[in-house]
Amino acid sequence: MKEWSDPELRQLLQNYQEVAGRDVIHHIEQLAAPLKGARVVHVNSTRAGGGVAEILHKLIPFKRALGIDARWEIITGSNLFYQCTKGFHNALQGMPVSIQDHLLREYEKTNAENADALRELLNDADFVFIHDPQPAALLSHFPQRKGKWIWRFHIDASHPHRPVWKYLRNFVSGYDASIFSLPEFAQPLAHPQYIIAPSIDPLSDKNCDLPIEEIEAVRKRFRIDPDLPMILQVSRYDRFKDPLGVIEAYRLARKLTPLQLVLAGGEAADDPEGKAVLSEVLEAVQDDPNIHVLLLPADSHRTINALQRLADIVLQKSLREGFGLTVTEAMWKGRPVIGGDTGGIRLQVINHYTGFLVRTPEGAALRTRYLLHRRDVLQQMGERAKRFVWENYLITRHLREYLTLMHGLTNGNQERIEVG
Ligand code: UDP
């Protein structure tokens, strides 16, 4: 992870101010002032691939710029560990999978080993944010902890497969608080639960403005036809993202509208199922020259940014989705999104206003054709989408809510908290 110098951190605040406004940054500075010097550690299981890593890359320097001693640690494990945690992920999103005992033992052993490596740092931290189930069992190894421990759960847990949730609940219930992205995901737990939606960083390579030459270079590099409308889905190759449904939607839409589809994805170090899903996708594509399946390295942020700008419409046809940063990213670029009617996509895609919510490939095809024929509506929805993200889903709002939560946890019983 990049080390930031002090002048760079100061400049960072200045840059956020230009996008979000002076008042927003001033408010954040007021909230952060009493937390200066606080030791905050975030822990997850990968630095690359997926939304959690994407957010932490940006949230940590922002906190540091405000004088908070924020760090990011990852836990590592064997293939068996990731097999187990992918099973958790699938089960918590509602798949009825049972996880074998030897995998659960590997999960517990891996958390114990990682706890040893992180002992001093986490014992002394004022706030520890544990992201998702992978490191959830760390808590049980820190009976001497001094700070508040918060479990931050990013996925759609509205209908978890009960046996797996019951197993994980044993680890999670000891936390001081938990955070979910949507109220529907909250679970019966005997500690405070906070609802905080994720966000994007407008200054990042993934979301900043790009020169037209760079966008055109990406078009040429992937041989995207400049004369054909383009629909895009950016996602890890994961069945919950429904890439096969996207291909079906494209095929249905193309019967009546000339069209090309780009599926852009990469591998996440903690996702062992990606290869199998990619093979299924390639098999479904057959030899269609107008479907481009891209396997991108983890640091392809500017490339993805350019693809989102090249697209006429962005799809995110997920069957389950915690939040869907890819939706936010596309909306920020003024693209309407046709998204699965599920989880965090519903927060962002306001049906008929910033895009369309769909449940089937037929629905996605219908909406695609409509928008391609009604360019005026497409453009208007895209403009609203960008505004909606500016108002609700930038990192500045996200950080403000994290800081408020930290105050809430340390001053829980007070009716009024004065912050500068
Ligand atoms: N992403 C990426 N490369 C890829 C696929 C996805 O950089 O090949 C990024 C994507 O731009 C987004 C994040 O990974 O920022 C995915 O977050 P999202 O919340 O959409 O889904 P998750 O993968 O966390 O389920």
Side-chain angles (χ1 to χ4, degrees), residues 235-264:
S235 278
R236 291 178 293 108
Y237 290 100
D238 178 312
R239 293 194 182 91
F240 283 118
K241 308 286 183 184
D242 198 18
L244 299 183
V246 173
I247 294 172
E248 204 182 328
Y250 150 83
R251 291 220 161 100
L252 289 166
R254 211 196 46 174
K255 284 185 185 162
L256 298 165
T257 314
L259 192 61
Q260 62 192 326
L261 166 66
V262 177
L263 287 172

Side-chain angles (χ1 to χ4, degrees), residues 6-141:
D6 285 345
E8 277 179 319
L9 289 174
R10 275 195 296 280
Q11 184 60 46
L12 191 66
L13 280 188
Q14 184 61 38
N15 295 345
Y16 282 124
Q17 189 167 306
E18 273 160 34
V19 183
R22 171 78 200 121
D23 287 354
V24 170
I25 299 301
H26 181 59
H27 186 194
I28 288 176
E29 282 171 338
Q30 277 183 311
L31 285 169
L35 295 165
K36 270 211 172 107
R39 283 161 299 182
V40 177
V41 187
H42 288 260
V43 184
N44 81 323
S45 62
T46 177
R47 286 202 198 275
V52 181
E54 190 81 18
I55 292 167
L56 290 179
H57 271 294
K58 305 302 164 194
L59 209 54
I60 304 295
F62 201 166
K63 284 187 180 174
R64 293 190 76 83
L66 293 160
I68 296 170
D69 180 6
R71 286 150 197 258
W72 175 11
E73 298 293 332
I74 56 164
I75 62 161
T76 50
S78 62
N79 285 342
L80 285 182
F81 171 73
Y82 293 120
Q83 217 177 305
C84 177
T85 57
K86 183 71 188 186
F88 287 164
H89 184 95
N90 289 340
L92 293 170
Q93 296 212 120
M95 263 190 208
V97 290
S98 68
I99 300 174
Q100 291 168 329
D101 272 353
H102 75 282
L103 294 180
L104 297 178
R105 298 297 85 79
E106 183 70 15
Y107 172 72
E108 290 157 17
K109 180 171 126 269
T110 305
N111 269 269
E113 287 164 2
N114 279 278
D116 283 341
L118 296 170
R119 179 129 350 252
E120 210 176 316
L121 185 67
L122 297 192
N123 259 336
D124 290 345
D126 298 302
F127 297 92
V128 176
F129 290 88
I130 298 289
H131 293 261
D132 285 331
Q134 293 91 331
L138 283 179
L139 180 88
S140 50
H141 300 283

Side-chain angles (χ1 to χ4, degrees), residues 221-377:
R221 185 168 137 217
F222 295 116
R223 298 196 177 83
I224 295 168
D225 186 338
D227 299 320
L228 265 187
M230 166 182 159
I231 57 173
L232 165 75
Q233 176 158 300
V234 176
S235 278
R236 291 178 293 108
Y237 290 100
D238 178 312
R239 293 194 182 91
F240 283 118
K241 308 286 183 184
D242 198 18
L244 299 183
V246 173
I247 294 172
E248 204 182 328
Y250 150 83
R251 291 220 161 100
L252 289 166
R254 211 196 46 174
K255 284 185 185 162
L256 298 165
T257 314
L259 192 61
Q260 62 192 326
L261 166 66
V262 177
L263 287 172
E267 286 176 15
D270 59 351
D271 183 352
E273 284 178 8
K275 279 198 177 68
V277 177
L278 178 61
S279 311
E280 290 164 20
V281 166
L282 292 173
E283 198 173 316
V285 167
Q286 293 166 345
D287 296 327
D288 189 330
N290 290 321
I291 306 182
H292 307 267
V293 178
L294 314 181
L295 189 61
L296 301 172
D299 58 355
S300 311
H301 304 300
R302 292 181 82 93
T303 306
I304 289 177
N305 185 341
L307 288 169
Q308 286 163 333
R309 290 174 194 281
L310 285 169
D312 293 276
I313 302 168
V314 171
L315 265 65
Q316 190 57 54
K317 222 206 93 20
S318 306
L319 305 170
R320 288 269 191 282
E321 190 63 76
F323 183 68
L325 284 181
T326 49
V327 173
T328 337
E329 291 160 5
M331 289 170 65
W332 179 242
K333 284 140 204 156
R335 299 298 179 271
V337 173
I338 299 178
D341 185 7
T342 185
I345 297 177
R346 288 189 189 138
L347 280 183
Q348 308 184 67
V349 175
I350 308 304
N351 207 8
H352 296 265
Y353 188 75
T354 61
F356 288 109
L357 291 171
V358 296
R359 290 178 172 231
T360 58
E362 289 78 7
L366 184 77
R367 298 310 191 186
T368 299
R369 287 205 309 264
Y370 170 72
L371 284 179
L372 291 177
H373 284 112
R374 288 294 307 272
R375 288 280 169 173
D376 54 330
V377 178

Side-chain angles (χ1 to χ4, degrees), residues 360-414:
T360 58
E362 289 78 7
L366 184 77
R367 298 310 191 186
T368 299
R369 287 205 309 264
Y370 170 72
L371 284 179
L372 291 177
H373 284 112
R374 288 294 307 272
R375 288 280 169 173
D376 54 330
V377 178
L378 187 153
Q379 166 128 11
Q380 205 181 31
M381 278 189 173
E383 284 162 13
R384 289 191 204 123
K386 177 162 189 175
R387 175 83 198 171
F388 194 70
V389 170
W390 186 79
E391 283 169 356
N392 297 290
Y393 296 120
L394 294 187
I395 189 172
T396 35
R397 186 272 312 153
H398 196 178
L399 182 58
R400 192 188 68 222
E401 291 180 347
Y402 263 113
L403 297 173
T404 310
L405 173 149
M406 285 152 72
H407 283 296
L409 282 178
T410 36
N411 301 278
N413 297 327
Q414 293 179 30

